[in-house]
Amino acid sequence: MSEKIQSIPIAKPWMGEAEAEAASRAIMSGWVTQGPEVAAFEQEFATYVGANHACAVSNCTTALHLALLAVGVQPGDEVITVSHSYIATANSIRYCGAIPVFVDIEPQTYNINPMLIEDALSDRTRAILIVHQIGMPCNLKAILDIAHRHGLPVVEDAACAIGSEILWNGQWEKIGKPHGDIACFSFHPRKVISTGDGGMLTTNNPQWDKQFRLWRQHGMSVPDTVRHGAKQVIFESYPMLGYNYRMTDIQAAVGREQLKRLPEIVERRRYLAQRYQEKLQDVPGLKLPTEPSWAKSNWQSFCVRLTERYDQLQAMQRMLDAGIATRRGIMCVHRESAYQTEAWSCGVEPKACECQVGKCDRLSESEQAQDHTVLLPLFHQMTEQEQDYVVEVLKVACQVKEVTFYLP
Ligand SMILES: Cc1ncc(COP(=O)(O)O)c(C=O)c1O
């Protein structure tokens, strides 16, 4: 069985003729950026997640930037977030001139540990930016409870969480409704649905939605769609500093087709994730992901943890040698050279903190998760035969012991 499998990627977008035709439709229409396809995609996306407003932008990083600006983050402010995320999360805080204050994660869900948030608050805290990491919903109830007590807005980095759900007052609701103030999504090809690149902001606040639309197009007072349809000449103005964070109509047309596939994609990913759980449950040296009873992940990634006796790099190399692509668990931003200690904080007063570049005792769960977890291949088109092969190879690979030297 195994010999027939050449190579298995970590992820693969599920796209086909429908997306190709949609891109062609946008191109042939003569309107290729931020026009009718973007407007339709926004409407359909808002309906899917149950939000009042959805605003499309160029990617999730730009969405996060606008979300933080909207909730009032300014230079010198602090924003509570996690180090254990893709670097774009913390970068978006720095784009506002603010300081990311990193809070450690829960080892089971890899999401922010709500019990540590209050300790990290200061009189400079302006917002909380949480991440539904690799599609697993955060403990939103606990986080919102803290945020409301301290009068802080909550932005959800839902880059990976399209299709994920949370049990809310007895009903399953989509991440992005939003439950916090604003949620931000990514359509990068590693995500569950893709537009090549792309992002979306959802909110129930009409003022913020209006603001996003101005900011994403250079702060221009009149959108192109309005000028184009006008019977009288309109001169636009630029009352504020804006950005070019537009999504193209070609991307949006593709996104509309992807949205139609989304329920089927999520169902398949849940099936494959469950299959991984069953096939890997008794493997010694391996810890499997856990899903709280109030959460349903979209399984954007399936993350396994090697117990400390086993070597992450060697296990991954063994899998690569067998033609299977894996990825190290999520990065820790505070370990990167772009994050010298002055660029972030772990919530301890600077004088009391003994953090060094790349090392922080208060972020030990984040560091351990990065060092001991491995993301396995998981994508819609993955066959059961391919998955069995991953399981077979992983069972051997994860038993590579770390080299230990014993002194006589
Ligand atoms: C948690 C998280 N936030 C933000 C981003 C940035 O998304 P984008 O590439 O669409 O800017 C990513 C992308 O991988 C991510 O995983």
Side-chain angles (χ1 to χ4, degrees):
M1 170 197 70
S2 339
E3 286 96 69
K4 288 205 199 102
I5 294 172
Q6 298 293 309
S7 67
I8 303 180
I10 181 80
K12 200 176 187 179
W14 187 39
M15 292 186 179
E17 286 298 319
E19 284 77 4
E21 278 166 23
S24 163
R25 177 181 76 220
I27 291 165
M28 300 311 285
S29 77
W31 195 313
V32 288
T33 199
Q34 203 175 272
E37 293 286 352
V38 166
F41 185 34
E42 290 171 339
Q43 199 59 53
E44 289 157 12
F45 193 93
T47 305
Y48 177 80
V49 295
N52 289 354
H53 307 280
C55 177
V57 286
S58 47
N59 53 62
C60 184
T61 313
T62 53
L64 290 168
H65 183 200
L66 298 189
L68 293 172
L69 290 178
V71 300
V73 175
Q74 290 179 2
D77 287 343
E78 291 180 354
V79 177
I80 302 288
T81 193
V82 282
S83 168
H84 187 70
S85 182
Y86 187 58
I87 198 163
T89 309
N91 281 353
S92 68
I93 297 170
R94 290 179 67 191
Y95 296 164
C96 301
I99 297 166
V101 176
F102 296 136
V103 169
D104 213 358
I105 55 162
E106 301 168 324
Q108 304 82 8
T109 62
Y110 308 108
N111 280 332
I112 193 164
N113 185 340
M115 302 222 294
L116 304 176
I117 292 178
E118 271 182 312
D119 253 9
L121 299 178
S122 80
D123 52 10
R124 293 180 299 279
T125 310
R126 181 57 77 107
I128 301 177
L129 170 55
I130 55 164
V131 185
H132 302 297
Q133 198 52 265
I134 54 174
M136 187 65 74
C138 288
N139 187 346
L140 274 164
K141 280 248 154 75
I143 294 162
L144 289 179
D145 185 44
I146 296 163
H148 293 158
R149 258 188 285 127
H150 294 271
L152 292 168
V154 172
V155 174
E156 296 171 59
D157 181 340
C160 308
I162 180 70
S164 298
E165 292 160 90
I166 190 156
L167 193 59
W168 207 254
N169 303 328
Q171 305 274 356
W172 285 102
E173 293 187 345
K174 298 277 179 347
I175 291 296
K177 196 170 165 69
H179 299 90
D181 294 274
I182 302 169
C184 303
F185 293 87
S186 171
F187 304 121
H188 178 270
R190 270 296 298 279
K191 307 301 185 258
V192 170
I193 59 170
S194 180
T195 58
D197 254 314
M200 190 74 79
L201 292 132
T202 60
T203 184
N204 288 336
N205 181 325
Q207 287 314 113
W208 285 340
D209 182 63
K210 210 168 148 199
Q211 187 72 64
F212 300 148
R213 289 165 196 284
L214 288 170
W215 274 329
R216 75 175 170 179
Q217 195 172 9
H218 305 286
M220 189 166 101
S221 61
V222 191
D224 284 336
T225 37
V226 173
R227 273 201 305 183
H228 185 73
K231 294 279 174 280
Q232 284 175 329
V233 173
I234 304 176
F235 290 156
E236 81 280 18
S237 62
Y238 298 84
M240 67 190 69
L241 177 68
Y243 309 88
N244 179 356
Y245 286 174
R246 284 184 297 250
M247 175 183 274
T248 71
D249 258 32
I250 305 167
Q251 291 168 303
V254 170
R256 294 178 69 194
E257 294 306 320
Q258 287 275 281
L259 213 45
K260 288 183 201 157
R261 295 188 196 261
L262 182 56
E264 200 184 329
I265 294 176
V266 173
E267 194 185 325
R268 173 82 185 154
R269 297 183 86 96
R270 286 181 179 160
Y271 168 73
L272 290 171
Q274 183 54 34
R275 215 165 166 271
Y276 265 141
Q277 294 277 9
E278 284 158 17
K279 302 223 163 230
L280 294 172
Q281 62 183 338
D282 296 325
V283 179
L286 206 63
K287 276 202 190 135
L288 303 181
T290 48
E291 193 175 46
S293 58
W294 41 262
K296 282 192 204 166
S297 179
N298 62 3
W299 297 105
Q300 195 234 251
S301 294
F302 194 86
C303 179
V304 295
R305 186 189 284 258
L306 304 179
T307 55
E308 287 182 26
R309 291 165 55 214
Y310 299 114
D311 188 89
Q312 181 195 46
L313 180 67
Q314 285 196 50
M316 291 174 68
Q317 188 59 52
R318 278 221 174 164
M319 296 194 71
L320 192 59
D321 293 344
I324 300 169
T326 59
R327 291 287 179 276
R328 186 163 70 148
I330 304 303
M331 65 184 294
C332 284
V333 175
H334 73 279
R335 288 171 145 182
E336 295 300 319
S337 333
Y339 277 73
Q340 300 295 312
T341 42
E342 63 274 11
W344 59 279
S345 148
C346 61
V348 174
E349 280 305 314
K351 276 195 205 113
C353 185
E354 289 176 7
C355 297
Q356 302 147 19
V357 177
K359 173 104 195 74
C360 174
D361 288 345
R362 284 163 63 101
L363 300 174
S364 59
E365 292 295 352
S366 304
E367 291 175 3
Q368 284 189 41
Q370 181 182 17
D371 294 343
H372 298 289
T373 58
V374 176
L375 307 183
L376 302 182
L378 183 58
F379 48 92
H380 185 84
Q381 309 91 313
M382 188 180 197
T383 63
E384 292 175 10
Q385 188 199 12
E386 285 174 322
Q387 193 179 31
D388 290 344
Y389 179 58
V390 174
V391 169
E392 191 184 300
V393 176
L394 179 67
K395 279 185 180 168
V396 180
C398 75
Q399 285 170 21
V400 186
K401 288 206 172 74
E402 243 158 1
V403 183
T404 316
F405 297 98
Y406 294 102
L407 293 172

